[in-house]
Amino acid sequence: MAETIRRADYFHIHVPDKPGEGARILGALKDSGVNLLSLTAFPDGKGTTQIDFVTENAEALAKAVKGLGLKLSDKKRAFLVQGDDRPGAAAQIFKKLADAGVNVHSMNACAGGKGGFGMILWVKPDSYDKAAKALGV
């Protein structure tokens, strides 16, 4: 199977960088029936952790997070890539963007079960439409 590349909306929150926060948040999402397509978390250098969520149900995500006393960021945009895992899968996507003069701002990828891989990548907002054209989405 070739890669499936799609535009993805994402939202983020900032939470204390302490044990149990991830379990608390993910537990609330589970209880609310929120299926995540991508989750990325990293320290933001301010003693807190930024968590980025991609889901097909933004309303349920917002409701679950609000129930924890947290507020989602405004909607932001990224690209979600899924496909067969093989050497060079990500390289081909990066080349398309490089050939179009688009810089990848950040990315996260992982091989999955049954020979698949997934990747989320971010470009600067002013490059988003140019990147979408280069990726054919």
Side-chain angles (χ1 to χ4, degrees), residues 22-40:
R24 179 175 80 97
I25 293 160
L26 292 175
L29 297 182
K30 176 184 175 234
D31 292 345
S32 296
V34 175
N35 183 43
L36 294 173
L37 302 175
S38 177
L39 172 75
T40 304

Side-chain angles (χ1 to χ4, degrees), residues 12-125:
H12 70 265
I13 59 172
H14 292 269
V15 297
D17 188 7
K18 66 179 189 180
E21 282 299 291
R24 179 175 80 97
I25 293 160
L26 292 175
L29 297 182
K30 176 184 175 234
D31 292 345
S32 296
V34 175
N35 183 43
L36 294 173
L37 302 175
S38 177
L39 172 75
T40 304
F42 52 91
D44 63 10
K46 302 173 188 171
T48 56
T49 295
Q50 179 174 319
I51 305 174
D52 294 353
F53 304 97
V54 176
T55 182
E56 292 177 332
N57 191 341
E59 286 184 33
L61 173 65
K63 185 177 178 182
V65 168
K66 185 177 182 181
L68 294 172
L70 301 168
K71 184 177 184 297
L72 286 178
S73 68
D74 290 337
K75 178 174 68 173
K76 299 184 182 291
R77 302 183 299 175
F79 296 97
L80 183 65
V81 182
Q82 295 170 298
D84 293 329
D85 188 27
R86 67 190 182 290
Q92 292 174 332
I93 294 162
F94 272 59
K95 179 154 180 22
K96 286 181 184 179
L97 293 169
D99 289 349
V102 175
N103 184 49
V104 175
H105 181 65
S106 185
M107 66 86 66
N108 187 15
C110 185
K114 299 182 183 177
F117 86 101
M119 175 170 60
I120 181 132
L121 62 93
W122 298 266
V123 299
K124 297 278 186 177

